[in-house]
Amino acid sequence: MSRGRTVRKNIAAGLGAAVLALGVALTAAAPSQAATTEENLPGVPAPGSPASEWETWAAQERADAEATDWKADSEARGCTLQDVTITDEVDRDYNLAMGAPADLATHRVDLLEDCGDAATAVADGSTTATRSAGASTLALPSGNRCASTSGPGTMCLSKSSGRIYASWQYRGSGSVTGFLRIYQVSSGASGCPTGTTWLTGASSTWSNGDTRTISKTRTSAGGYSAHIWKKVTIGHTDWGGVCSVL
């Protein structure tokens, strides 16, 4: 992928994550751990608010995404932007997680980036969970995190400017196809489980060195996990992920 490639913005409409979630067969059945119920953050309508209130909020979030300097956004995370796509979608999982109407139209941002080693540095001593001082049980770490995955690459999970980002940088040979998925999980979870689906990215192909990122408006604080699902002969297999409280 040429670093000199002209950045372009593509606007697409469709069902996006909701369609993909129905269309893929996940072959390595990872243990599911449901998220705890969280209140929505300030500025996000309360669960069960009228549809008109949700539609106004979603329209403003879409306008904010259009106005964002995504090149500067990538640079702030230590990456160089290659491509950005803002996709309108009806994501039932995302909507239900924040108590919005199931058919609410929102947006997702997909980025193709070239990220340096510093941007995907793995935290010392942890790829999944850490033991809190004085605590007898494992709990998720907090803040922006990166972890090596079982597939050759690094997964990062972060929050910034009111959004959650999940990125996977591929370091293998040839190319791979798959998708990124973000889950809500309990902040007291052990390891880095999957949980309640929060966001699913589009099926994409990675070449060596590519970093693909999905991003959506953060609506509640709590535990999240991000996983890369690699396409195999039949369905997809979990190539690993990273968890954090954001």
Side-chain angles (χ1 to χ4, degrees):
M1 186 65 62
S2 171
R3 295 192 180 188
R5 178 179 176 178
T6 301
V7 174
R8 69 182 187 275
K9 181 176 292 186
N10 304 310
I11 309 301
L15 293 178
V19 173
L20 180 59
L22 291 173
V24 297
L26 303 180
T27 55
S32 177
Q33 184 154 349
T36 56
T37 302
E38 303 285 353
E39 293 184 357
N40 286 344
L41 294 170
V44 181
S49 294
S52 58
E53 187 173 340
W54 282 107
E55 289 164 2
T56 298
W57 172 82
Q60 183 59 57
E61 292 300 305
R62 181 66 161 78
D64 291 345
E66 282 286 345
T68 296
D69 183 343
W70 291 104
K71 180 179 179 181
D73 181 88
S74 288
E75 290 174 350
R77 290 179 287 106
C79 302
T80 300
L81 181 64
Q82 304 292 328
D83 191 24
V84 56
T85 303
I86 301 175
T87 302
D88 292 326
E89 62 181 359
V90 175
D91 188 334
R92 187 174 184 275
D93 293 318
Y94 178 76
N95 292 342
L96 294 182
M98 60 183 175
D103 61 352
L104 179 70
T106 58
H107 76 279
R108 185 188 75 245
V109 177
D110 296 274
L111 307 169
L112 174 61
E113 301 172 300
D114 183 358
C115 298
D117 291 341
T120 56
V122 175
D124 291 340
S126 174
T127 59
T128 53
T130 56
R131 189 178 297 275
S132 302
S136 59
T137 58
L138 288 171
L140 298 185
S142 62
N144 299 344
R145 305 284 297 179
C146 293
S148 299
T149 54
S150 56
T154 303
M155 177 70 75
C156 294
L157 181 62
S158 63
K159 66 176 181 179
S160 177
S161 302
R163 305 185 67 86
I164 288 181
Y165 298 78
S167 304
W168 188 62
Q169 183 183 63
Y170 177 54
R171 294 196 178 97
S173 59
S175 62
V176 296
T177 298
F179 64 90
L180 300 175
R181 179 170 284 167
I182 302 175
Y183 302 88
Q184 288 182 310
V185 297
S186 169
S187 59
S190 61
C192 188
T194 59
T196 302
T197 297
W198 186 75
L199 174 64
T200 301
S203 180
S204 302
T205 298
W206 283 257
S207 298
N208 178 268
D210 284 350
T211 298
R212 291 193 178 273
T213 300
I214 57 174
S215 176
K216 206 163 178 83
T217 301
R218 176 173 170 259
T219 58
S220 65
Y224 291 86
S225 71
H227 287 246
I228 168 67
W229 288 90
K230 177 185 178 292
K231 183 173 177 56
V232 292
T233 303
I234 301 176
H236 293 74
T237 186
D238 187 354
W239 252 15
V242 64
C243 287
S244 184
V245 176
L246 299 175

